[in-house]
Amino acid sequence: QVQLQESGPGLVKPSETLSLTCVVSGGPISSNHWWSWVRQPPGKGLEWLGEIFHNGNSNYSPSLKSRLTMSVDKSKNQFSLYLTSVTAADTAVYYCTRGPHGWADYWGQGTLVTVSS
Amino acid sequence: DIVMTQSPDSLAVSLGERAAINCRSSQTVLYTSNNKNYLAWYQKKPGQPPKLLLYWSSTRDSGVPDRFSGSGSGTDFTLTISSLQAEDVAVYYCQQYFTVPRTFGQGTKVEVK
């Protein structure tokens, strides 16, 4: 059974960089799946942020492309998200997911990141 | 970006009755070369991650009860819960994966009347 677990600081200061890692267990990250990040601001809907394949190919949301980077570490079976210059609007629950064709069949439990000084 | 619009924003249905949620995309999500609609449906309960219900617009994910079904093609889709159960109270989202960014609808809240 594939499991995903997000980790990272729960509090980030404005203008700093938000860094999250998703550890994948129960299967190799080098499988034929896209690994993505989705967030949900408090009281709002789901927002797709981007996705990455194990070979490093990636797609990002145009609205975040200038601030967003994703990476894969096959040796640790994990992938990461880096979002620079954060503001209060980036406060959200962040989910990592696995998807075979663009939908997400496995999700992490989510981690709340608050942007505040 | 493909804009996904769901209707209604919320609905209240009696237990055992049918619930239907609509999802419209601003452009087609039907890939004609394989005749597949690149549309998924998720269920989201408070404090839990979203759960995949359907992909390819009508294929149920493993373990999803058959009271959940999907229909439609091109730009108009429907998620139907044939007989609402108490555990189905949740927010439901459609998502297109035809192109990036893989956009979600705004969500539809389903409650018990």
Side-chain angles (χ1 to χ4, degrees), chain B residues 33-99:
Chain B
S33 67
N34 60 10
N35 200 36
K36 287 183 179 291
N37 288 285
Y38 284 53
L39 185 105
W41 288 96
Y42 302 89
Q43 177 191 66
K44 176 73 170 71
K45 296 181 180 180
Q48 297 182 21
K51 174 187 175 182
L52 176 67
L53 296 175
L54 304 166
Y55 53 95
W56 298 132
S57 73
S58 62
T59 301
R60 274 188 294 276
D61 193 32
S62 176
V64 174
D66 60 7
R67 64 179 181 273
F68 291 92
S69 63
S71 61
S73 185
T75 61
D76 290 281
F77 300 90
T78 300
L79 171 69
T80 301
I81 309 172
S82 60
S83 175
L84 189 77
Q85 305 300 302
E87 61 265 31
D88 301 333
V89 170
V91 178
Y92 293 83
Y93 293 89
C94 59
Q95 181 205 23
Q96 65 80 20
Y97 48 95
F98 185 83
T99 187

Side-chain angles (χ1 to χ4, degrees), chain A residues 34 38 40 44-49 51 59-63 95 101-110, chain B residues 1 38 40 42 44 47-52 54-56 61 93 95-97 100-106:
Chain A
W34 287 89
V38 174
Q40 183 174 33
K44 297 188 177 182
L46 301 172
E47 180 185 11
W48 182 87
L49 305 183
E51 61 189 13
N59 297 300
Y60 299 147
S61 172
S63 64
Y95 297 98
H101 283 280
W103 68 81
D105 56 358
Y106 285 94
W107 295 68
Q109 283 300 307
Chain B
D1 299 5
Y38 284 53
Y42 302 89
K44 176 73 170 71
Q48 297 182 21
K51 174 187 175 182
L52 176 67
L54 304 166
Y55 53 95
W56 298 132
D61 193 32
Y93 293 89
Q95 181 205 23
Q96 65 80 20
Y97 48 95
V100 293
R102 308 195 189 284
T103 43
F104 289 92
Q106 81 275 18

